[in-house]
Amino acid sequence: MKKVYFDNNATTPLYDELKLNLLEWLDLWGNPSSVHWAGQSIKGRIRDARQALAKFLNVSPLEIIFTSGGSESNSTVIRTILEIIEGSDSQFAKTNKNEFITTTVEHPSLKKAFEMLEARGFKVHRIGFSSQGEFDLSAFEKVLSDKTALISVMFVNNETGLILPLKEIVEKAKKFGALVHSDSVQAFGKIKIDLQDLGVDFASFSGHKFYAMKGTGVLFAKKSVPLSPLVFGGGQERSRRGGTENSLGILSMGFMAEKMSDDSFFQDKNKHVKNLRDYFEQRIQTEIEQVQINHESMDRVSGTSSVVLKDVEGEALLMALDVKGFAVSTGSACSSGSSQPSASLQAFGLSPEQARSTLRVSFGWYNTIKEIDSFLNELKVVTARLRKLAGPREVFLSSEINNREGISEL
Ligand SMILES: Cc1ncc(COP(=O)(O)O)c(C=O)c1O
């Protein structure tokens, strides 16, 4: 059976050309902090990777901190702000800046961090969206004040591909002296990111979302803002992130940034992915009844298609497609044996039923039109079957789900 991977928002495969370098990189096993030849042989390569990432994001290499991924980058920002607020002689303490603004659709690494802040007594404002997917700028302006310490908004939503008006948000925030962080994990490689132009103070990225390795990420922190380490250690990353560097992971991210800095490469890859998405959406809308594409008319990244298939249980659909070799994702996160409709999709105005019936197809560089053709053939059959078998489906679903614990929002 041919396996087809349409879940590139969850993670991407390694880039082919990158794989060819892995054997050579494995020989760079020295500790970059060592002054002898073994350490120095990798140290320079890490510096090059940092430069490549800084150039791609249009910032200084000194503003790039290597982390273990998006979740760590996000957590480091929250910890930093907490330290600033709680530090008694800090500028924030003097100006009484102790409120936070975020959105209703952030990744769990931020969602949970904000819940922690609330539990500690801080005011957190969560801004929502219209049913079409427009960020509620007027609600944002209402809560924005001199008391705002940090605003954290994702750049691109992982479920629908929606692009948030980050630059506008930053412009408004700066009038009140608030710091701005953006979880830009789903933006890297999909849209051009010029961090200087955007004006954010912090931004998070994750290697495994842009064809690099897992367990490696980037935190951008503006030179002018303080940063408190989340991981204490031996002075690595200019004492902003302790622990011996994940050299291979860092090299893989630098490699991808170098590749994507070539404009024609970047455009070609994104054009390919957009063609796939447009082809899929055009066909699904004409060939399957009662489908709705989330955020279809909004500004969104080219490879994500979030589709509501009315009266189709998403988890059952996912499993039926998996059996046939198709890897996709749904609008419900399943954990501890129960299927919960995605909170983010509901925050975008979908009913729990619509969220449960949502299929997320995220295309990547290695997908082809032929794969979409065979996927649609299967999707038509499974959709018809599940719509017909509305009753017995529930029984099948709960027993299957109990065997699939620990799936989280990606
Ligand atoms: C928007 C967003 N932020 C953060 C993360 C977490 O990144 P990582 O898996 O590198 O911790 C993800 C990954 O699913 C994501 O989609």
Side-chain angles (χ1 to χ4, degrees):
M1 180 176 63
K2 188 171 178 327
K3 294 218 187 318
V4 174
Y5 186 75
F6 284 151
D7 201 13
N8 289 275
N9 282 11
T11 195
T12 47
L14 284 181
Y15 182 52
D16 276 344
E17 214 181 295
L18 186 158
K19 282 195 256 181
L20 300 177
N21 288 276
L22 281 179
L23 258 184
E24 186 221 325
W25 293 348
L26 284 172
D27 275 334
L28 301 168
W29 42 261
N31 186 328
S33 299
S34 303
V35 289
H36 50 61
W37 58 266
Q40 295 310 300
S41 63
I42 180 68
K43 195 174 175 183
R45 304 287 289 266
I46 291 181
R47 187 194 52 228
D48 294 346
R50 196 186 306 277
Q51 260 162 8
L53 282 149
K55 181 175 158 230
F56 184 63
L57 297 168
N58 192 26
V59 293
S60 155
L62 293 175
E63 297 173 312
I64 297 289
I65 298 137
F66 291 121
T67 66
S68 68
S71 302
E72 185 189 321
S73 298
N74 288 343
S75 304
T76 306
V77 174
I78 300 298
R79 182 191 155 83
T80 293
I81 304 304
L82 198 55
E83 288 256 312
I84 299 178
I85 292 176
E86 291 186 338
S88 55
D89 61 2
S90 80
Q91 196 189 337
F92 273 23
K94 281 182 216 132
T95 52
N96 206 22
K97 278 191 175 305
N98 55 15
E99 291 192 3
F100 295 83
I101 304 178
T102 185
T103 78
T104 48
V105 297
E106 298 297 317
H107 183 264
S109 52
L110 283 165
K111 217 179 261 180
K112 289 179 188 169
F114 282 114
E115 282 164 12
M116 176 275 288
L117 289 173
E118 269 176 326
R120 290 174 75 148
F122 292 102
K123 180 85 202 147
V124 177
H125 303 276
R126 292 180 181 80
I127 309 300
F129 298 79
S130 73
S131 55
Q132 275 78 45
E134 288 137 342
F135 180 74
D136 193 344
L137 270 172
S138 72
F140 171 66
E141 282 177 295
K142 264 192 206 130
V143 297
L144 182 62
S145 76
D146 290 331
K147 286 176 124 186
T148 311
L150 178 80
I151 295 153
S152 182
V153 290
M154 57 177 22
F155 199 177
V156 170
N157 180 260
N158 43 314
E159 306 219 34
T160 70
L162 182 76
I163 302 173
L164 274 73
L166 187 53
K167 196 165 175 187
E168 220 174 323
I169 291 169
V170 174
E171 278 163 10
K172 293 187 191 306
K174 289 299 151 194
K175 294 190 187 132
F176 293 87
L179 293 171
V180 183
H181 164 244
S182 177
D183 175 346
S184 301
V185 162
Q186 292 287 347
F188 197 109
K190 295 173 185 155
I191 48 176
K192 282 271 171 213
I193 305 173
D194 181 333
L195 290 176
Q196 237 183 90
D197 180 56
L198 283 168
V200 292
D201 299 286
F202 304 101
S204 306
F205 304 96
S206 172
H208 75 96
K209 307 283 184 180
F210 56 89
Y211 304 87
M213 291 167 81
K214 289 177 181 52
T216 187
V218 166
L219 171 60
F220 157 75
K222 223 187 225 171
K223 255 183 269 176
S224 53
V225 300
L227 194 80
S228 306
L230 183 69
V231 181
F232 296 104
Q236 292 92 349
E237 298 299 290
R238 295 175 174 257
S239 297
R240 292 169 299 176
R241 201 277 186 178
T244 303
E245 294 84 345
N246 173 358
S247 329
L248 255 69
I250 292 170
L251 261 51
S252 73
M253 289 194 295
F255 186 89
M256 294 315 299
E258 184 95 48
K259 276 271 147 202
M260 290 189 215
S261 292
D262 173 350
D263 214 45
S264 70
F265 178 91
F266 189 89
Q267 302 295 347
D268 279 359
K269 293 294 180 208
N270 279 295
K271 199 169 142 213
H272 171 68
V273 167
K274 183 173 186 304
N275 285 343
L276 296 173
R277 203 257 333 253
D278 291 349
Y279 176 77
F280 170 73
E281 291 190 348
Q282 186 267 324
R283 277 198 61 190
I284 195 172
Q285 290 189 90
T286 49
E287 295 174 33
I288 299 184
E289 280 175 10
Q290 296 194 293
V291 299
Q292 169 201 314
I293 295 175
N294 294 321
H295 297 161
E296 185 180 10
S297 56
M298 296 296 294
D299 204 8
R300 58 188 173 131
V301 291
S302 52
T304 309
S305 193
S306 171
V307 188
V308 184
L309 290 150
K310 194 168 183 301
D311 296 332
V312 173
E313 176 64 63
E315 288 291 320
L317 178 67
L318 182 143
M319 287 167 211
L321 290 168
D322 183 32
V323 167
K324 296 288 179 183
F326 297 100
V328 290
S329 173
T330 62
S332 48
C334 162
S335 62
S336 309
S338 70
S339 174
Q340 297 297 331
S342 152
S344 297
L345 287 178
Q346 290 183 81
F348 281 136
L350 270 70
S351 67
E353 291 69 37
Q354 286 174 316
R356 273 204 186 90
S357 300
T358 298
L359 175 72
R360 183 185 73 182
V361 188
S362 46
F363 301 101
W365 297 354
Y366 293 112
N367 292 129
T368 63
I369 290 282
K370 218 169 136 200
E371 286 178 335
I372 297 178
D373 288 338
S374 57
F375 178 62
L376 279 166
N377 286 342
E378 196 55 44
L379 188 62
K380 279 190 256 185
V381 174
V382 180
T383 300
R385 193 174 75 221
L386 290 177
R387 280 178 173 164
K388 215 163 143 194
L389 300 173
R393 177 180 83 212
E394 301 297 335
V395 179
F396 160 72
L397 185 66
S398 52
S399 61
E400 282 287 330
I401 283 172
N402 283 332
N403 294 328
R404 291 176 175 236
E405 289 207 7
I407 301 170
S408 59
E409 279 178 54
L410 304 162

